[in-house]
Amino acid sequence: MSLTILTHPLAGHVITHLRDKTTKPATFRTLACQISLLLAIEATRRIETEKKPIETPLESVTGDVLAHQPLVVVPILRAGLGMVQPFLDLFPDVSVGYIGLERDHETAVARSYYCKLPKLDGRHVFVVDPMLATGGSAVKAIEVVKAHGGTDVALVTIVSSPEGVAEVGKHHPAVPIFTAALDRELNARKYILPGLGDFGDRLYGT
Ligand code: PRP
Ligand code: URA
């Protein structure tokens, strides 16, 4: 199991403002984009490049460009939507798939309500969801991605709990996890502590 936690000082700064309960939805959305940009850069560190000869105004040089292998970003609805834009900005050829999962407020068990995925076979797939709590949603989403042919899958989250990381590691040991913060624990209602509350509600002002 591989877990990468962002160490850039900007990540800590953004996470602190996301956690702050006085942060309003408009700012929260901007911060979610900022942290997702850092995560997108980290999670794609190993994608392939190829050589391309070009002419600068002064001489010829061979540089690196991204190899043609479109990536796929799969947000878990709805909170995962807040992490998609940086992938679109960085990788113009990215495809977007959607998996709709919602946790039951009493049991914290995720229920599936939507799925629309592009071709996944042979592509780098990034499942994005800001909160990895019990891990139930992430485990289910990765199962769906694998069932649709995804073999190269990574999970990108903003805040993770030790319980969630362990759960994903147990069910999908080959799926690397990239996160901005590894928090302390879950509370009795399966919310992450210290956490930032309900990400979807704070993102969309609900
Ligand atoms: C949140 C979050 C994850 C899930 C994490 O979504 O975005 O998908 O909970 O919890 P878990 O690890 O215990 O499964 P939620 O179900 O609240 O739906 P929303 O995105 O529509 O707000
Ligand atoms: N979903 C959230 O949005 N926050 C948590 O702390 C746990 C699940």
Side-chain angles (χ1 to χ4, degrees):
M1 206 270 292
S2 144
L3 174 67
T4 303
I5 304 169
L6 292 186
T7 54
H8 196 289
L10 191 55
H13 173 86
V14 173
I15 283 284
T16 300
H17 288 290
L18 282 169
R19 291 191 196 283
D20 186 341
K21 68 178 184 186
T22 67
T23 299
K24 296 203 166 34
T27 307
F28 194 90
R29 285 191 288 274
T30 303
L31 293 166
C33 264
Q34 289 176 354
I35 199 79
S36 302
L37 176 62
L38 295 177
L39 283 162
I41 290 169
E42 187 60 40
T44 53
R45 192 180 279 280
R46 283 176 197 81
I47 59 173
E48 298 80 7
T49 56
E50 59 191 22
K51 297 294 177 195
K52 181 178 167 66
I54 52 135
E55 302 289 328
T56 78
L58 302 176
E59 61 178 21
S60 304
V61 67
T62 298
D64 295 312
V65 292
L66 293 180
H68 184 69
Q69 188 186 32
L71 312 181
V72 182
V73 59
V74 180
I76 301 181
L77 306 177
R78 83 195 139 143
L81 286 176
M83 299 177 69
V84 172
Q85 192 59 44
F87 283 86
L88 300 178
D89 293 341
L90 290 174
F91 305 104
D93 293 333
V94 72
S95 303
V96 186
Y98 298 91
I99 294 177
L101 293 173
E102 187 176 26
R103 285 200 334 170
D104 182 282
H105 283 295
E106 299 305 318
T107 63
V109 174
R111 174 189 66 89
S112 167
Y113 62 88
Y114 188 72
C115 180
K116 185 111 183 161
L117 294 170
K119 176 183 168 308
L120 301 179
D121 178 32
R123 299 165 84 176
H124 297 295
V125 183
F126 298 90
V127 174
V128 301
D129 189 338
M131 305 304 277
L132 177 60
T134 65
S137 303
V139 166
K140 217 170 249 189
I142 296 166
E143 271 165 21
V144 171
V145 163
K146 287 182 173 176
H148 279 74
T151 52
D152 178 354
V153 189
L155 175 65
V156 185
T157 71
I158 295 177
V159 179
S160 301
S161 73
E163 295 91 332
V165 169
E167 186 70 4
V168 172
K170 183 171 130 197
H171 292 272
H172 304 291
V175 171
I177 302 173
F178 297 88
T179 193
L182 180 62
D183 275 11
R184 193 176 72 245
E185 61 185 348
L186 298 178
N187 70 9
R189 294 183 55 231
K190 308 297 183 195
Y191 274 77
I192 300 173
L193 297 176
L196 47 73
D198 188 306
F199 198 99
D201 284 350
R202 297 197 60 196
L203 189 67
Y204 295 119
T206 50

